[in-house]
């Protein structure tokens, strides 16, 4: 695996490889890698000549400064895992390399994300998706991939980045592959933030997936409020502070209050255990 810290050198390398007819798969991450990240690398290796992973803890997407300061950094083991997984290139830029001397101030760049920015993560983490777009636009310009690999774990982010690719006018040359959420044996979605869970929180954390699965099993046509309330009660009983538990149209993310028995739905949760905020989601009727 080759490590690049500078965008110019990486750009030149990619340019020459693409000119030689090779395809590029790109997996953006914030490091503290786990098997979920590695599954994206694996998928990219199957589909492309060259797989690039980036590790960059993006300051502009943290609406909570404490979350940024406490974000886990495990760069040595990340490098070892990527090499072992057969990743071809690791891009490990500094903040200056991505943003210049200072990162853009909130509002200094605007991406028109419409409705997506008004619900769920959009409303609970103001500015978060603008920050995600700021960094991913730059990373896509540097890596110029044929395919971009994202995890369904961040369901709304997948939709936001699909929109970003449209806004960048890249819809034709760049396809997005959404890969399934990898989970621990007890159902907990793998996440870098799981490293911050104390033993007590780690014990209750699978309640999030259990609650989503409960909703999936009890989904029935009609009003959905009682089902959502039952989910919130389960989470609160396990000690979670719930940011949201919602059921939405799986394609548009429009929140739904009732089900007609056919619409494709996704349930999404964000909840705190202690000071760690976890998110997860589950397609409720994936076969439809
Ligand atoms: P992050 O480092 O958390 O920004 O995640 C980098 C990429 O890995 C994003 O596309 C995530 O959606 C994806 N990812 C994170 N956790 C998982 C998981 N448990 N399974 C699959 N993909 C994941």
């Amino acid at each position: 695996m080759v490590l690049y810290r500078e965008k110019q050198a990486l750009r030149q390398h990619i340019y020459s490889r693409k000119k030689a007819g090779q395809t590029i798969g790109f997996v953006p991450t914030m490091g503290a890698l786990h098997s979920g990240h590695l599954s994206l690398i694996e998928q990219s290796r199957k589909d492309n000549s060259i797989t690039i992973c980036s590790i960059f803890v993006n300051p502009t997407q943290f609406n909570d400064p404490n979350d940024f300061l406490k974000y886990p950094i495990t760069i040595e083991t990340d490098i070892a895992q990527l090499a072992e997984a057969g990743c071809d290139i690791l891009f490990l830029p500094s903040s200056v390399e991505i943003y210049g001397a200072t990162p853009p101030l909130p509002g200094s760049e605007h991406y028109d994300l419409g409705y997506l920015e008004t619900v769920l993560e959009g409303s609970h983490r103001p500015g978060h998706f603008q920050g995600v777009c700021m960094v991913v636009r730059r990373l896509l310009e540097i890596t110029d991939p044929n395919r971009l690999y994202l995890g369904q774990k961040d369901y709304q982010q997948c939709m936001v980045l699909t929109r970003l690719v449209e806004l960048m006018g890249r819809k034709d040359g760049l396809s997005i592959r959404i890969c399934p959420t990898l989970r621990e044996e007890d159902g907990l979605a793998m996440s870098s933030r799981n490293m911050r869970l104390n033993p007590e929180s780690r014990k209750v954390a699978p309640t999030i997936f259990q609650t989503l699965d409960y909703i999936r099993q009890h989904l029935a046509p009609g009003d959905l409020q009682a089902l959502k309330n039952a989910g919130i009660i389960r989470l609160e009983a396990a000690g979670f502070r719930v940011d949201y538990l919602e059921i939405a149209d799986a394609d548009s993310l429009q929140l739904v209050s009732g089900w007609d028995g056919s619409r494709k739905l996704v349930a999404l949760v964000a909840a705190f255990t202690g000071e760690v905020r976890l998110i997860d989601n589950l397609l409720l009727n994936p076969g439809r």
Side-chain angles (χ1 to χ4, degrees):
M1 182 172 73
V2 187
L3 191 157
Y4 284 90
R5 292 182 190 275
E6 287 168 9
K7 60 186 176 195
Q8 200 47 40
L10 175 59
R11 260 203 205 113
Q12 276 164 13
H13 180 86
I14 293 166
Y15 180 76
S16 66
R17 293 304 193 91
K18 285 189 85 171
K19 232 174 128 182
Q22 298 196 305
T23 57
I24 310 286
F26 177 47
V27 182
T29 80
M30 297 207 297
L33 300 183
H34 50 68
S35 305
H37 296 114
L38 299 177
S39 71
L40 272 54
I41 301 284
E42 192 183 325
Q43 187 59 50
S44 171
R45 288 189 68 218
K46 284 187 188 143
D47 302 340
N48 302 283
S49 333
I50 297 174
T51 292
I52 305 176
C53 176
S54 65
I55 297 180
F56 179 63
V57 184
N58 173 35
T60 66
Q61 73 185 67
F62 286 86
N63 54 314
D64 173 0
N66 204 36
D67 190 24
F68 176 55
L69 292 174
K70 294 204 169 165
Y71 202 83
I73 294 178
T74 59
I75 197 63
E76 298 299 322
T77 50
D78 289 353
I79 292 173
Q81 288 189 86
L82 288 173
E84 167 82 20
C87 180
D88 300 291
I89 294 174
L90 167 60
F91 182 42
L92 191 59
S94 64
S95 179
V96 173
E97 194 63 15
I98 295 293
Y99 289 125
T102 46
L105 290 170
S108 62
E109 260 173 45
H110 183 73
Y111 299 86
D112 182 8
L113 304 174
Y115 168 78
L116 280 179
E117 214 174 358
T118 67
V119 285
L120 307 171
E121 294 299 282
S123 54
H124 285 267
R125 299 186 66 188
H128 168 63
F129 286 133
Q130 291 295 321
V132 169
C133 288
M134 285 177 191
V135 73
V136 175
R137 175 174 72 76
R138 287 165 171 81
L139 291 170
L140 290 176
E141 283 168 359
I142 295 165
T143 56
D144 190 24
N146 302 86
R147 297 183 187 88
L148 171 64
Y149 292 82
L150 303 171
Q152 190 203 310
K153 158 84 174 21
D154 297 280
Y155 196 92
Q156 194 172 3
Q157 175 170 277
C158 292
M159 299 178 83
V160 163
L161 294 179
T162 303
R163 171 82 183 133
L164 174 70
V165 167
E166 266 171 40
L167 290 170
M168 288 174 70
R170 291 290 312 271
K171 220 173 137 191
D172 295 333
L174 169 56
S175 59
I176 294 183
R177 297 282 154 94
I178 297 171
C179 302
T181 304
L182 256 70
R183 298 179 179 281
E184 304 289 353
E185 271 184 15
D186 58 13
L188 174 64
M190 290 181 184
S191 164
S192 305
R193 286 188 174 82
N194 293 351
M195 287 180 197
R196 291 181 52 208
L197 298 173
N198 63 32
E200 193 57 25
S201 288
R202 177 62 190 83
K203 228 157 87 190
V204 298
T207 312
I208 294 186
F209 176 69
Q210 288 158 12
T211 301
L212 290 168
D213 198 45
Y214 172 89
I215 290 175
R216 185 182 61 78
Q217 286 180 34
H218 291 81
L219 179 71
D223 188 74
L224 295 173
Q225 195 55 52
L227 189 54
K228 286 195 270 186
N229 289 345
I232 291 169
I233 287 167
R234 285 172 84 95
L235 287 167
E236 288 180 346
F240 280 96
R241 182 157 57 81
V242 180
D243 245 3
Y244 61 78
L245 183 159
E246 283 293 352
I247 299 176
D249 181 291
D251 297 320
S252 67
L253 221 59
Q254 291 286 342
L255 305 184
V256 295
S257 52
W259 188 45
D260 60 6
S262 70
R263 204 169 179 187
K264 200 172 144 194
L265 298 179
V266 59
L268 308 101
V269 171
F272 283 90
T273 169
E275 60 171 19
V276 183
R277 185 176 185 272
L278 300 176
I279 62 168
D280 199 356
N281 66 81
L282 194 66
L283 288 166
L284 300 181
N285 46 350
R288 282 167 198 276

